[in-house]
């Protein structure tokens, strides 16, 4: 069966979709080579704004950013040097293109959101941002959590280009940080689940609920999220800030 024929059969419901086709698995995409472009664009505009005010800003491109930055490890430094040296925003020709994939994924995710909300007459969607506490800087990631302990479904809103509002929903007071262990073939270190509890000082690490609506419906998201925050009383005000107004 050709790829075209397979897509036709799948779209017409004559073939069952793959068992692993879900919101999490479709978030994976080719890395786009645009980070260097956006950093250089932002820094050049920032320098121009300061120049218009009569000041000289020497932090104006990726090279000067790297020269003036501190990194928590050599791997972070090497990563930013790699971005500095990228000169072509396209991925390797003849292969997957990150920008193309991001555009297609954004369109797909927006259609899925709108279909679910319109068919079920929903004003907004709400979900847990991530069930895992943040990863320790320089430490191992959760074996199932992905980079920084963010599972793939947590990237839905950003990948769809939709505004999300994160509201505190509670606090984690005990953490089991993953650790590095030697792989079975003894060639590299891999993250594995840890079994040593770490008790965090009050109030602990916050976790959030995510509120999201259709494109252009940010007013609805803000109303719903604000109502939940005021009613749930999960938020603990920082010392310099008072409680949220209730009116």
């Amino acid at each position: 069966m050709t790829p075209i024929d397979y897509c036709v059969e799948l779209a017409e419901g004559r073939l069952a979709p793959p068992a692993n086709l879900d919101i999490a698995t479709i978030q994976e995409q080719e890395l786009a080579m645009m980070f260097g472009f956006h950093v250089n664009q932002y820094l050049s505009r920032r320098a121009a704004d300061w120049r218009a005010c009569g000041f000289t800003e020497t932090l104006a491109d990726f090279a000067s950013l790297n020269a003036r930055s501190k990194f928590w490890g050599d791997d972070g430094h090497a990563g930013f040097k790699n971005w500095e040296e990228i000169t072509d925003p396209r991925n390797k020709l003849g292969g997957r293109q990150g920008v193309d994939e991001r555009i297609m994924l954004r369109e797909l995710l927006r259609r899925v959101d709108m279909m679910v909300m319109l068919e079920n007459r929903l004003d907004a969607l709400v979900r847990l941002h991530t069930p895992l506490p943040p990863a320790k800087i320089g430490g191992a990631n959760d074996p199932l959590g992905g980079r920084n302990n963010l599972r793939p479904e947590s990237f839905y809103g950003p990948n769809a280009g939709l505004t999300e509002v994160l509201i505190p929903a509670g606090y984690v007071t005990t953490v089991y940080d993953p650790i590095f262990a030697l792989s079975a073939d003894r060639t590299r270190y891999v993250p594995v689940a840890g079994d040593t509890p770490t008790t965090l000082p009050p109030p602990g690490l916050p976790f959030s609920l995510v509120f999201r609506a259709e494109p252009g419906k940010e007013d609805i998201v803000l109303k719903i999220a604000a109502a939940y925050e005021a009613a749930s009383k999960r938020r603990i005000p920082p010392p310099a800030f008072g409680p949220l107004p209730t009116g």
Side-chain angles (χ1 to χ4, degrees), residues 2 14-15 39 53 55 84 94 109 151 177 187 194 205 223 231 234 244:
T2 66
R14 293 190 286 265
L15 280 179
V39 169
C53 295
F55 299 93
E84 177 188 336
L109 294 177
R151 292 185 173 172
D177 288 311
T187 60
L205 288 173
K223 288 179 181 179
R234 297 288 189 183
L244 291 175

Side-chain angles (χ1 to χ4, degrees), residues 6 46 50-52 60 63 83 127 145 179 186 207 214:
Y6 174 80
R46 179 175 177 270
W50 279 115
R51 187 164 54 249
W83 278 114
R127 64 172 179 80
I179 58 176
R186 306 181 69 82
F207 63 90
E214 298 179 51

Side-chain angles (χ1 to χ4, degrees), residues 94-199:
R96 294 170 58 184
Q97 293 294 316
V99 174
D100 296 2
E101 290 191 15
R102 286 178 179 271
I103 293 173
M104 290 187 289
L105 182 60
R106 181 181 65 190
E107 182 69 16
L108 171 64
L109 294 177
R110 287 190 175 195
R111 287 173 180 262
V112 170
D113 257 21
M114 294 181 68
M115 178 188 70
V116 172
M117 284 188 284
L118 292 174
E119 288 184 351
N120 295 278
R121 299 183 180 182
L122 302 176
D123 292 318
L125 299 174
V126 58
R127 64 172 179 80
L128 184 65
H129 180 236
T130 175
L132 302 171
K136 295 178 68 175
I137 296 177
N141 295 308
D142 186 272
L144 301 177
R147 187 176 183 182
N148 298 324
N149 286 4
L150 288 174
R151 292 185 173 172
E153 61 268 22
S154 299
F155 298 104
Y156 192 116
N159 284 339
L162 296 173
T163 300
E164 291 186 324
V165 178
L166 277 68
I167 299 297
Y171 294 84
V172 176
T173 57
T174 302
V175 176
Y176 292 83
D177 288 311
I179 58 176
F180 287 113
L182 193 61
S183 62
D185 59 6
R186 306 181 69 82
T187 60
R188 65 192 189 282
Y189 283 95
V190 295
V192 298
D195 57 6
T196 302
T198 299
T199 302

Side-chain angles (χ1 to χ4, degrees), residues 24-101:
T25 58
I26 64 173
Q27 304 298 328
E28 299 294 340
Q29 56 192 293
E30 186 71 12
L31 181 66
M33 297 290 102
M34 296 300 291
F35 184 53
F37 164 80
H38 288 301
V39 169
N40 280 333
Q41 182 186 50
Y42 164 72
L43 292 177
S44 66
R45 290 179 175 181
R46 179 175 177 270
D49 288 343
W50 279 115
R51 187 164 54 249
C53 295
F55 299 93
T56 299
E57 173 57 79
T58 58
L59 180 57
D61 54 29
F62 220 123
S64 56
L65 173 66
N66 281 337
R68 292 171 53 173
S69 296
K70 295 182 179 179
F71 300 90
W72 55 263
D74 290 339
D75 53 346
H77 188 197
F80 264 61
K81 286 296 292 183
N82 287 341
W83 278 114
E84 177 188 336
E85 294 170 2
I86 289 176
T87 59
D88 192 334
R90 298 169 296 180
N91 293 77
K92 185 177 180 180
L93 299 182
R96 294 170 58 184
Q97 293 294 316
V99 174
D100 296 2
E101 290 191 15

